Amino acid sequence: MSHPHPELSAPPELAEGALRVIPLGGLGEVGRNMTVFEYSGRLLVVDCGVLFPEDHHPGVDLILPDFEPIRDRLGDIEALVLTHGHEDHIGATPYLLRERPDIPLVGSELTLALLDGKLREHRLKETVHHRVREGDRLVLGPFELEFVAVNHSIPDALAVAIRTGAGLVLHTGDFKMDQLPLDGRITDLRAFARLGEEGVDLFLTDSTNAETPGFTPAEKSITPVIDQVFRESAKRIVVACFASHVHRVQQVLDAAVAHDRKVAYVGRSMVRNMAIAKELGYLTVPAGVLVDAKELAPLPPERVVLISTGSQGEPMSALSRIAQRTHSFVHIEEGDTVLLASSLIPGNENAVYRVINGLARLGARVIHKGNALVHVSGHASAGELLYCYNIVRPRNVLPVHGEIRHMLANADLARLTGVPNVVVAEDGVVVDLVDGVASIAGKVACGYVFVDGSSVGDITESDLKDRRILGEEGFISVIVVVDSVSGKVSGGPEIHARGNALEGSSFDEIRQPIIDALHRSISEGTTDAYQLQQTVRRVVGRWVSSTHRRRPMIIPVVIEA
Ligand SMILES: [Zn+2]
Ligand SMILES: [Zn+2]
C-alpha cells in the first residue's frame, strides 16, 4: 500500500484528555471499514467490514482489517458501533468476535438483524446488543454516543456523534442526501446543524463520491427506467442488484405488480436479507406477487421476474451461474431481459463484463449502468458534501471511506468551505485530537489480512505473489539425487513442467549444465541441500528466461542419498 507518510513512527502515549483515532481499514480503499477511537484508556470501534478481493488476490475469499494494532487491547473495547448493514461495514465482525466474543454491539434494528444471520453462520453466540435508532443516546464508558439518521443505499443507516472530554466527533458513516427517498427517511441535517451549533471538533465524512460534481440523483429517478424496461420486455426479466438494496428490490416488486408479473428471489443472500427486511417492515411485499423460484416453471416467461445476486460478477453468484448456463433451474433464453441495477465497484469491471457477455451470447438483452440510468449511487457527491461542511462548520475534518484520490478530493471540498484544519490519513496513520486540534501522531503497522477457506491471516503477500506466478507462468520442477559420500549427482535431473508450453519441449540441453553447476558448488564446499537447490534454481531460471522468455516458478528438490 502506498503511503503519504513513510517517515512516521509509532505514536507516543496519548496525552491526558486527548482523543486518538486509529483507522484500521477503509482509509485508502473502498471496503473493510474500521476505525478505533481511544479516550481515557478505553476504545470504541466504529464498523468492522470486509474488502472483496480483486484479480491480483487469486484464491482469496475476503480481506479483513488488520486487528494487530489493538490485539493486546481487545479487553479495553467498550463496544463496536455498526453504522449500517453493508458488508464493508459489518462483514468482519465475526472475525473480531472470534478474538473476543463478548464485545457489545451497537446498531440499528436492520443492521443488527443482518449481522445476526452472519454470526449464526459463524456459530457465534448472541452477544450484548444495543439496538438504537436515530435520536437515541447511549453512554458507554467515557464515550457518550448519539445517533443521527442518514440516508444511504440500505435502510436504517446511522451517523454517530461521539462526545468525550476531548470534544465532539461526528462520523457520517456512509450517507447521501436524497431528499425524496422511498422510505421518506432523509439524512437529518437539522441534527447535523444542532451538533454544528454545539461545536463539532472532528468531522469524519464519507469520501466515496467526492470526485463526482453536483448531487447524487434521487433513488426515485430510476423508477421510470425500470418501468420502461418492464414495458419493453416480452419475455422473462432478471434483475441483479445488491442483496442488501431493499429499496431497489421494492422498486422491482412494485413494477412487477404494475405489469402483472410474479417475482422470485435467486441467491442465498437475497432470499435471506429480503426475508429479514420484510419481517422488520423495511420491505413491503404486495400480496401474491412473491413466489418460490422453483414454482416459476409453469408460468409463461412474460409473467416472470427474478431478482438475483451477482451484480458485481462474483463468480459463485447466481447471475454468474446463469451466464455460464450452470445454474440449476434458471436458464436464459433468446429474448429475455437482464437488468443490472447496481454500481460497478472499481476492480470488478472485468468480472461484470464477462457476465454481461455471457448473458448476451445466450440471447438476452442486457441493460446496465453503461447503457441506461438503472442505478444511482448510495454516497454523497461533492455538492452534498459542501452543504454538510457549511451546515456543520467543523473545526477539523478527517476524510474517510475511499481511495486516496477520493479522500484528497473530499479534503479539498472541506478546505473550500473554510474548514480550518483538514487531516488526510490512510489506514494505520494515527490522528490525535488535542486541545481541539487534530494532527497526525504516528503510524501503526496495518496490512491486509486475507481469508482463504478456513485460514485467516495465514496467507501472506508472498504467497499471493507465488500464486500469481503459478497462474501466469506455471512451474518447472527439477529433482536431483546427490550421493553424499562421493558428492556426485547420482540420479536425475528429472524435470517436469506444468501450466506452460515447456511441457512438451526437451529438457535435454539443460540437464548437463545443472549437473555441472552442482558439481562446481559441491567442490567449492557447499553441502547444504537448500543452497544446492538455489544453484539449480539459478541455472534453470537463467536458461528458461533466455531460451524461452518465460519466468515460471522453479521448484528444485535436491535429495542427498
Ligand atoms: Zn454502505
Ligand atoms: Zn461503505
Side-chain angles (χ1 to χ4, degrees), residues 138-172:
L138 186 64
V139 179
L140 296 165
F143 303 99
E144 292 178 42
L145 310 183
E146 179 184 341
F147 300 92
V148 179
V150 287
N151 163 243
H152 184 39
S153 47
I154 187 169
D156 224 10
L158 293 169
V160 58
I162 307 165
R163 288 184 184 83
T164 64
L168 171 58
V169 174
L170 179 57
H171 190 316
T172 64

Side-chain angles (χ1 to χ4, degrees), residues 84 86 88-89 152 174 379:
H84 63 285
H86 278 154
D88 62 321
H89 296 260
H152 184 39
D174 291 5
H379 301 271

Side-chain angles (χ1 to χ4, degrees), residues 454-468:
S454 62
S455 100
V456 179
D458 298 330
I459 296 291
T460 62
E461 264 304 337
S462 119
D463 293 321
L464 291 184
K465 193 177 161 207
D466 283 351
R467 287 182 181 183
R468 287 193 289 267

Side-chain angles (χ1 to χ4, degrees), residues 261-283:
R261 286 175 181 254
K262 300 277 186 200
V263 177
Y265 301 133
V266 186
R268 210 164 48 100
S269 52
M270 186 67 78
V271 173
R272 186 186 61 198
N273 289 355
M274 290 310 138
I276 292 169
K278 177 176 180 260
E279 164 144 3
L280 297 177
Y282 295 95
L283 182 73

